[in-house]
Each structure stands twice: as C-alpha cells, then as structure tokens.
Amino acid sequence: LATELKQSIQLVYVALRTCDFWVLVGAVLMGVAALFESAEGVLMVLANTFSRVALHVVPLGLRQEPSGGGVALMDLVWYGLPWHLRHAYRECQRQLEISLASGCGFIGLLCILRALWYVLASVISANLLMVTKLLQAGHLFSRTLAWYACPAYVAEFA
C-alpha cells in the first residue's frame, strides 16, 4: 500500500509540474485503486477464512483473481448469496437426515442448532464475499480508468 501511494503522490507531483489535468486524474485514481486493493486484501483473507471455517468450502470466486471489474461483479452475483444459501440448504438437509435417522431428541436438537449455524454462517460469509467483490471491482475499475486517463504515466508507475 505504501509503495503504491508513494507512486500516486509522485504522479501528483508530475501532474502539478506539467500542469496536466489528466495526469492528476490518473494519480488520484491510482491512489483510490491502491486503497481499494488494500481493503480488498484484508477482506479477502477474512472471507476465505470464514467460508472455510463455517461452510468447509471456499467459492471459486474467492480462489481466483478476476480479469476485470465486470468479472468481479459477475462473481459477486454468482458466488454471493445464492451460492452460500445453496450450500447452507444442502447442509441443513444433511442435518435433518441425521436428526431423523438418530431417533434421539438430543441429537435432533444438536442437528437443528448446527443447521441454524450453517444458515447464519452462510449469510455472514456471503456478505463478506459481496463487500470483497465490490472492493475488487472498484479497484479494477479505478486502475483501468487511471490507465485511460494517462496511459504513459500510469504504465510507467504501475
């Protein structure tokens, strides 16, 4: 983060020295992209960890880097709430089958509590993933816009 912000500040200096508005826009967008990327990295670790602990599986959208902002938004839609609720539903079905097969009230209660945990964990994990993907899309869009604003300088500093 510090290196990218330093590069952005150097680009602001170049923009002020050359009085070029588009270089200034590119510098600001590079700084915004660096902040988005840093926050995205922190939330990505949290989302991966929570998903693995809570659901015992990490969605493919969290395991690979998207090629652009549009792909990140598509991952948000595809791997957000629908993917998580589908996995929670499967786990609830499994817990119900265990509960019915056991014939014991205590085990049935434990299975119901575990099913509730999976539903709650899937909602929390889905929200973490959606915020992460929004930050990822913001990072990729602002990096692309910075390149379009001043391709020569952004390519040199990036």
Side-chain angles (χ1 to χ4, degrees):
L1 175 65
T3 304
E4 290 173 341
L5 287 178
K6 181 182 172 190
Q7 289 174 345
S8 181
I9 290 170
Q10 288 174 344
L11 198 53
V12 166
Y13 175 71
V14 169
L16 293 176
R17 194 180 65 212
T18 60
C19 294
D20 191 347
F21 173 74
W22 291 109
V23 175
L24 182 64
V25 169
V28 169
L29 286 170
M30 278 182 58
V32 168
L35 293 173
F36 276 152
E37 188 175 19
S38 177
E40 168 207 334
V42 170
L43 282 178
M44 185 71 75
V45 169
L46 287 174
N48 268 327
T49 303
F50 196 80
S51 183
R52 181 159 320 275
V53 167
L55 299 173
H56 307 293
V57 64
V58 177
L60 184 64
L62 280 177
R63 287 184 272 151
Q64 60 189 28
E65 191 73 22
S67 58
V71 177
L73 291 176
M74 191 60 155
D75 284 348
L76 180 143
V77 171
W78 185 254
Y79 295 111
L81 212 50
W83 186 90
H84 282 81
L85 290 180
R86 186 171 52 243
H87 278 278
Y89 174 74
R90 286 183 197 152
E91 190 57 37
C92 287
Q93 271 186 320
R94 194 174 77 81
Q95 293 297 323
L96 180 64
E97 290 170 6
I98 292 170
S99 172
L100 293 175
S102 73
C104 176
F106 181 70
I107 292 177
L109 179 65
L110 285 178
C111 289
I112 290 172
L113 290 175
R114 284 191 68 175
L116 288 174
W117 159 252
Y118 280 112
V119 170
L120 179 67
S122 69
V123 169
I124 293 170
S125 182
N127 284 327
L128 275 172
L129 181 131
M130 289 189 289
V131 170
T132 301
K133 287 299 175 178
L134 281 175
L135 287 172
Q136 200 171 50
H139 157 242
L140 293 169
F141 281 135
S142 49
R143 176 90 49 197
T144 303
L145 288 174
W147 187 83
Y148 279 119
C150 58
Y153 288 109
V154 171
E156 177 185 327
F157 281 97

